[in-house]
Amino acid sequence: TPPSPAQNAAGGVMLKAIIPAVKADGTIDASEQEKLMGQLGDISPEERAFVQQELAAPVDAQGLASQIPDGLEAQAYTMSVTAIDLDNQTEAQYLDSFAKALGLDAQSVNHIHAQLGVPPLYT
């Protein structure tokens, strides 16, 4: 069954949540690019063009958060966390700004991190 227009829209937003996270440290290393492409699977030329456009766009956590439909905030944040290796301060700062822009509290963020088996963002 093909996805509904609402499912396609939600998928696009989730993809938008992944790409800035991958770019958060200023570079897209091979591991991050592999994760991104692995999450996309088999995509069409139009979808590939969309990804390239998003990769070229500046990182804007606040702008991205404003595009996330109500009720999908935690899912969008989760997608961002799964897209990166949380291994430097720049990535942590991006996740902090995205979480705050989404209205997620520290406990919710740390719960997502625990579920994913990654270090907590807040101590």
Side-chain angles (χ1 to χ4, degrees):
T1 304
S4 71
Q7 290 170 322
N8 276 334
V13 170
M14 291 305 123
L15 182 56
K16 283 186 173 192
I18 292 170
I19 294 172
V22 171
K23 299 184 331 181
D25 64 359
T27 61
I28 301 175
D29 66 28
S31 172
E32 290 168 328
Q33 190 169 22
E34 184 178 319
K35 274 187 180 181
L36 173 61
M37 297 315 286
Q39 289 182 350
L40 298 179
D42 188 25
I43 59 175
S44 71
E46 294 82 14
E47 292 165 329
R48 189 169 298 283
F50 172 78
V51 170
Q52 293 302 325
Q53 178 184 2
E54 290 298 314
L55 286 170
V59 174
D60 177 10
Q62 185 67 39
L64 173 60
S66 70
Q67 297 176 42
I68 305 299
D70 290 342
L72 294 181
E73 296 88 356
Q75 185 177 356
Y77 183 83
T78 300
M79 296 302 291
S80 291
V81 174
T82 62
I84 63 174
D85 296 320
L86 186 54
D87 59 2
N88 68 54
Q89 190 62 30
T90 306
E91 291 169 336
Q93 288 170 340
Y94 170 77
L95 289 175
D96 173 62
S97 5
F98 189 44
K100 288 177 179 172
L102 289 168
L104 298 175
D105 62 38
Q107 182 179 356
S108 298
V109 168
N110 283 345
H111 180 72
I112 291 168
H113 284 238
Q115 288 181 317
L116 297 172
V118 297
L121 190 61
Y122 304 111
T123 56

